[in-house]
Amino acid sequence: MTAQRTDPPRQLPLDLGHGTGYSRDELVVSGTNHQAAALVDRWPDWPSPVVVLAGPAGSGKTHLASIWRARANALAVDARRIGGSIANLGARPALIDDVDAGAIDEQGLFHLINAVRGAGSTLLLTARRFPLAWGVSLPDLASRLKAAATVEIHEPDDLLLAGVITKLFADRQVEVEPHVVQYLVRRIERSLATAMRVVERLDRTALERKMPITRALAAETVSAMDEGQGEFEI
C-alpha cells in the first residue's frame, strides 16, 4: 500500500492592512521622478498656478500628490464632482488625482482653475496623459490647460524600482536580501503597481509556508503571475 503524501501545513496569514507610506521621507527619488519631486518640494514657488503631473499607472503620481496635499493643506476634489467643491474652496489649494481616469467635467474644471487663479492659490492635477491628449472640447479650458506647467513622470528605472520594492517590504516589516530585490527588478513589469502586487503575494506566501522570502520563492511567484495565476495559490 502506497503511503499517502502529506503536504506541510500552511499558516493562513491575517490581513493586517499593511499601509503604504506616503510621506516625503518614504519617497524614493531617481532620475525618473526627480523633476516632479523637486516641483512638489518647491511649492508654493511654482512656475504656474496649475501644475499637471503626468505619467503611467503605477509611476508614483499618487504618492507625490499625497505629499503635496499634506504640505499645502490642499482640498482633495472629486474629478466627477468638481463644481460642488468650488464654493467651499476659498483660498485653499486644490488637488485632483487621476483627473483623466474618466470623462472630464470640463465646465467644472474650467471654473475651478479660474477660482484658484483668482484666489492666488494653486491646483495640482495628476493624470496618465498630457492635457493635449485629454480630448478637451471647451476652448477656454484648453487655453487654461496650455498655460499649466506639465511635468512628466517616467516608468521607474532600476534604482527607483529597487528602492520601492525594498520600501514595500519594510512597510510590512519584512527583511529581504538585496539579491532577491535585484532579481525582482530584472523580472517584473516596470511599474510600481506591479511591484506592490508582487510584494503582497510574496509576503502572503511566505507567511503561509512559514519560510523566508528567497530567490527561489520570488522566481516561483513571478512565474505564476506571468502565467496569469497571480490571484491563485502557488
Side-chain angles (χ1 to χ4, degrees), residues 47-52 113 117 125 131 142-151:
S48 170
V50 181
V51 166
V52 180
I113 291 175
R117 288 161 60 101
L125 306 170
S143 176
R144 294 287 189 272
L145 292 173
K146 284 181 182 178
T150 300
V151 178

Side-chain angles (χ1 to χ4, degrees), residues 155-230:
E155 291 184 347
D157 56 16
D158 286 358
L159 176 64
L160 179 59
L161 199 56
V164 166
I165 290 172
T166 301
K167 173 191 171 303
L168 290 170
F169 279 121
D171 287 343
R172 294 170 173 269
Q173 299 182 341
V174 175
E175 291 187 13
V176 178
E177 293 291 334
H179 68 91
V180 177
V181 174
Q182 289 303 318
Y183 173 80
L184 291 172
V185 168
R186 293 192 302 270
R187 282 293 312 275
I188 69 172
E189 175 188 315
R190 308 196 66 75
S191 81
L192 305 190
T194 299
M196 293 176 68
R197 289 195 298 271
V198 169
V199 167
E200 189 276 337
R201 169 56 67 180
L202 273 169
D203 187 28
R204 289 186 63 86
T205 304
L207 283 172
E208 289 176 359
R209 299 184 184 181
K210 298 183 180 179
M211 63 179 292
I213 295 175
T214 62
R215 185 185 182 284
L217 184 61
E220 183 183 350
T221 300
V222 172
S223 293
M225 295 182 72
D226 286 345
E227 295 168 5
Q229 301 171 10

Side-chain angles (χ1 to χ4, degrees), residues 119-130:
S121 187
T122 45
L123 169 65
L124 177 64
L125 306 170
T126 74
R128 295 190 180 188
R129 300 162 295 170
F130 283 79

Side-chain angles (χ1 to χ4, degrees), residues 30-48:
S30 78
T32 61
N33 65 353
H34 172 76
Q35 188 178 5
L39 192 68
V40 167
D41 286 341
R42 67 184 279 195
W43 181 89
D45 180 22
W46 274 4
S48 170

Side-chain angles (χ1 to χ4, degrees), residues 64-87:
L64 286 161
S66 296
I67 292 169
W68 180 78
R69 180 185 177 189
R71 181 185 180 100
N73 188 29
L75 176 68
V77 176
D78 186 333
R80 259 49 70 189
R81 299 177 180 84
I82 297 175
S85 302
I86 296 175

